[in-house]
Amino acid sequence: MQNLETIREKAIEETKIKVEEDITHYLEAHETCPSFQDYLSERSRFFQQIWMNTWLSNVTNNILRSNKKAFLRKKGYEVEGADKKLLNKMFRNEIQNEHPFHVKEWVMANTPDQQQWEVRYRRTRERYITDLADKETASRKKDIQKKILYFLEKNVAVNELNWYVELRYSFAGKLFNDMDTRPKFKQIEPYALEDKLEEEGILSNHEFKTVSDFLKEYTGSIHKKSEQWEHNLWEYETYYSPYERFISSATEHIICSFVSGSLPADILVSYKNIFGEELSQEQLVKWIQPVLLNEKRLFFKWIREEYIIDLAIVLDVPFDVDSHLVLYKESLIKREERKEEEEAAQRRKQEEEARMLEDIFGREYSPSFRGGVKYVLHIGETNTGKTHRAISRMKDADSGIYLAPLRLLALEVFDKLNNEGVPCNLKTGEEEKEVDQARHLACTVEMFHEKEEYEVVVIDEAQMLADQDRGFSWYKAITKARAKEVHIIGSENVRGLLLELVGDDGVEIHNYQREIPLQVEEKEFKLKHARQGDALVCFSRKKVLDTASRLQNNGHKVSMIYGSMPPETRKKQMMQFINGKTRVIVATDAIGMGLNLPIRRIVFLENDKFDGTRRRLLTSQEVKQIAGRAGRKGIYDIGRVAFTKDIKKMSRLLEQEDLSLRTFAIAPTSNVFERFQRYYHEMDTFFQLWEKFTSPYGTEKASLSEEKELYELIRGTQIEAKLSLDDLYGFLHLPFSKKESSLTRQWIDSMQAIVHNEELPEPDIKSKNLEQKETSYKAVGLHLLFLYRLGRQTEAYYWERIREDIADGVHESLRTEVKGISKTCKHCRKKLPSNFGFPICDRCHALNRKRRIRRRNDK
């Protein structure tokens, strides 16, 4: 069996050691030397038990389970299925008598002579008696330590304030000495060691309310804060650390002095008798450490709460415990009075601020309905004719306005009404088109103005009420529209919120159901399965272009739609698909909002999307909004939906009932800015108050994060100084891609030109490739936003023609360039297969992995 002889030799050696230990314990227990025969007669019966325990322990723990099974099979045992506990029990029973060691024979063979035995006895007893004496001494020392600690703990409650006022007196002397002699430094980040500290005069020339305030000041030194990952972290030192050390040292001195002078004489005499010396402060500190640590923490907390003005009085009175106790108790009374005054002042300030916030913001976000308005709700799924019915009613009215979520949809309604003989104007942030005798207007929802009156108002995609950044535009249109009829179009999940806003008295509700059923395909979709009438949906421009390139290279004619595409180009791409010039359309979720296309099947190439913060699974409403575009009455009587993975999970999202929207978004208005300026005039303060303002129940504030980021670029400049708050916010709120540095730079340059009465800088136009053309389109769009805001319509018409030419160029690039797009490794730029699933090649991935392993090993 495996290593059995080696195990036996080890067990024998352990047994011999244990027998030797047994002899030692036997000799220790006898005051006179027993004979060796006495030992044998009393202890030999235990020898074999010592061996058996040692042998079984070694053999059980060091033999593999497979070898135990083989051994037991030879003995006739059935071991298959036996658990570990039973297996070991059977093995120990059978192995215990194998390879025995006769302990008594070994002991007899090593019998010492009488002289050796007596020498061993004397040495063992001497060592035993010495150990007993040492234990007795240690016990007496421990007893002295307990008595001293008990004495101190018993006196803490009585003397704690006495100790503290003595410490307080010493602390005040150090504090005012430092304040009169040490410089104050300008506050910077403590870890910014590359910045030199700047002096701002002597500390005493500055006001500090409490010691805690003073301790935040820098000493001028650098100290090690901590060690992390084997690296030292250094930073500028504040007075907190050196004063904490001062409190620690002074507390030790005061309490140790008290103990040394107050301990009962018998304890001090006992200490000297046991230790052979007087009780030292060093020894005392070690023994009373638990009390010291507690008092140090407590005293440092009390000191930090002290008012500087109270400590100034301390130094005027020579130290005497009784008089300083009186001073301290008086300071506590004053401190409570000051705290009450400060809390009262803080409450008054908070109440005043609350009244101000209510005055500035609160009243703005209560619904104010127009009398005599008839609200008509069109509620239902995507692609059910809701918008068509509402626009038909608007078309028959003497005047009407259509409020769209997208410029493209406003443009679609503008074209539709004019083509059907109803003159209609167009107004978005980037363009305006006027038609003779028009009494209808198609515009984006942000262009709504509450002072304008129409017979019919149509508000599309009302579920956008909950959008944190844009939702307030829907709220304002719904609650402040001046019209005989207001038609509101939305999905089922916005029904409850709309009824809360407009009330349910006299509201006309039209419910819409899909006439064309949706059918989820059972098989996972592969790109080779693409057929005519398919719309393939993904969630980034790059993915759209990559997918379109692969399809084109496989012989498909493809249209493309994505959010940053010029609306004119998007319209042309859609018309190619509608007219059959392209077989397949690849799009982002922009396809889900109001774009009516003859789609046979919606294919989700991805089940999750990046929402600006993180990648997340699509919501049920998003899946329904997009999938609902499948099917077209008279063309496809079934709308098909396909997924590339997780079909069951995604099908449940498509089928489950949506959670009702509970909140709508609110944002600043011109009225808000008008009231704000009764109190303040700084945009920075406005953002701070907006942050403090608590949204009314059922509302959610717009984050204004993009506006704040843009404001930081011009804070304190002439741009801020020369513009009114309302105008400045209007420019900060312009709808352009603030993440693109070239557009942000253009915005700043245009703002500079406005405040200096100079000509606006012309946008930089490049047309080398698709990306440059799209960027140029956005640059012209931003230029148009400025022109329309400044009322320069004539000049804007020229730039609209320029932008149309750029849009034609984008359309042409999509036709000619996309097919040649190749997937490359983002590290080495090596060309990758079109169906490669990762952004970097295998070689770069392997190199990265090796570097990570090497860095981990270096640590």
Side-chain angles (χ1 to χ4, degrees), residues 427-443:
K427 187 174 183 180
T428 70
E430 301 173 39
E431 64 188 323
E432 293 181 13
K433 293 182 178 179
E434 293 187 359
V435 176
D436 286 343
Q437 299 180 346
R439 292 178 54 78
H440 288 73
L441 173 65
C443 64

Side-chain angles (χ1 to χ4, degrees), residues 650-662:
M650 300 308 292
S651 296
R652 284 196 296 271
L653 290 177
L654 187 58
E655 293 164 5
Q656 77 181 39
E657 187 175 333
D658 290 331
L659 294 174
S660 295
L661 298 177
R662 298 294 183 191

Side-chain angles (χ1 to χ4, degrees), residues 230-417:
E230 300 179 0
H231 295 289
N232 294 330
L233 295 180
W234 298 84
E235 65 177 15
Y236 283 118
E237 180 188 58
T238 64
Y239 281 99
Y240 189 98
S241 296
Y243 271 71
E244 186 178 34
R245 293 192 294 270
F246 172 81
I247 294 294
S248 177
S249 175
T251 303
E252 282 182 6
H253 175 74
I254 291 168
I255 295 179
C256 286
S257 298
F258 166 80
V259 174
S260 298
S262 306
L263 268 177
D266 62 318
I267 295 178
L268 291 172
V269 170
S270 297
Y271 180 89
K272 188 171 183 180
N273 289 338
I274 295 170
F275 288 89
E277 61 184 13
E278 301 290 344
L279 178 60
S280 66
Q281 180 167 326
E282 183 181 358
Q283 183 62 60
L284 192 56
V285 167
K286 289 180 182 177
W287 282 359
I288 64 173
Q289 198 60 230
V291 175
L292 284 177
L293 285 174
N294 187 58
E295 295 304 297
K296 287 174 184 178
R297 283 194 291 265
L298 181 63
F299 290 169
F300 193 43
K301 176 179 177 292
W302 286 355
I303 280 289
R304 295 200 305 274
E305 293 170 352
E306 293 273 4
Y307 278 71
I308 301 290
I309 192 171
D310 292 335
L311 291 177
I313 300 171
V314 168
L315 293 179
D316 296 335
V317 181
F319 185 73
D320 168 77
V321 170
D322 293 335
S323 58
H324 276 260
L325 276 173
V326 172
L327 283 177
Y328 178 59
K329 289 174 181 177
E330 288 175 352
S331 74
L332 289 178
I333 294 170
K334 291 177 185 175
R335 189 189 305 176
E336 287 305 311
E337 290 172 352
R338 290 191 196 103
K339 283 185 178 177
E340 288 176 6
E341 290 172 3
E342 289 167 2
E343 288 171 1
Q346 182 66 21
R347 282 195 298 272
R348 287 194 298 273
K349 182 180 177 183
Q350 289 172 348
E351 289 166 3
E352 180 57 36
E353 188 174 84
R355 281 193 294 272
M356 178 183 68
L357 290 174
E358 178 61 27
D359 180 42
I360 295 172
F361 301 113
R363 68 166 90 165
E364 190 68 19
Y365 305 111
S366 300
S368 56
F369 301 104
R370 310 287 184 187
V373 176
K374 177 184 178 183
Y375 285 95
V376 182
L377 307 189
H378 300 268
I379 304 294
E381 300 172 68
T382 305
N383 209 3
T384 53
K386 305 185 299 292
T387 307
H388 173 76
R389 183 169 178 179
I391 290 175
S392 295
R393 173 67 189 96
M394 182 186 83
K395 196 171 68 172
D396 293 338
D398 288 338
S399 64
I401 180 172
Y402 168 73
L403 301 173
L406 301 174
R407 178 171 162 243
L408 179 63
L409 294 179
L411 188 61
E412 186 179 302
V413 170
F414 167 77
D415 288 339
K416 175 182 175 65
L417 265 62

Side-chain angles (χ1 to χ4, degrees), residues 178-187 197-208 214 217-219 239:
D178 283 344
M179 290 183 70
D180 290 338
T181 58
R182 303 291 296 274
K184 183 186 186 306
F185 296 100
K186 184 178 179 180
Q187 287 291 317
L197 291 175
E198 298 177 22
E199 292 188 14
E200 295 183 322
I202 298 298
L203 283 163
S204 58
N205 293 337
H206 298 265
E207 288 189 9
F208 301 100
F214 170 79
E217 296 297 318
Y218 291 128
T219 65
Y239 281 99

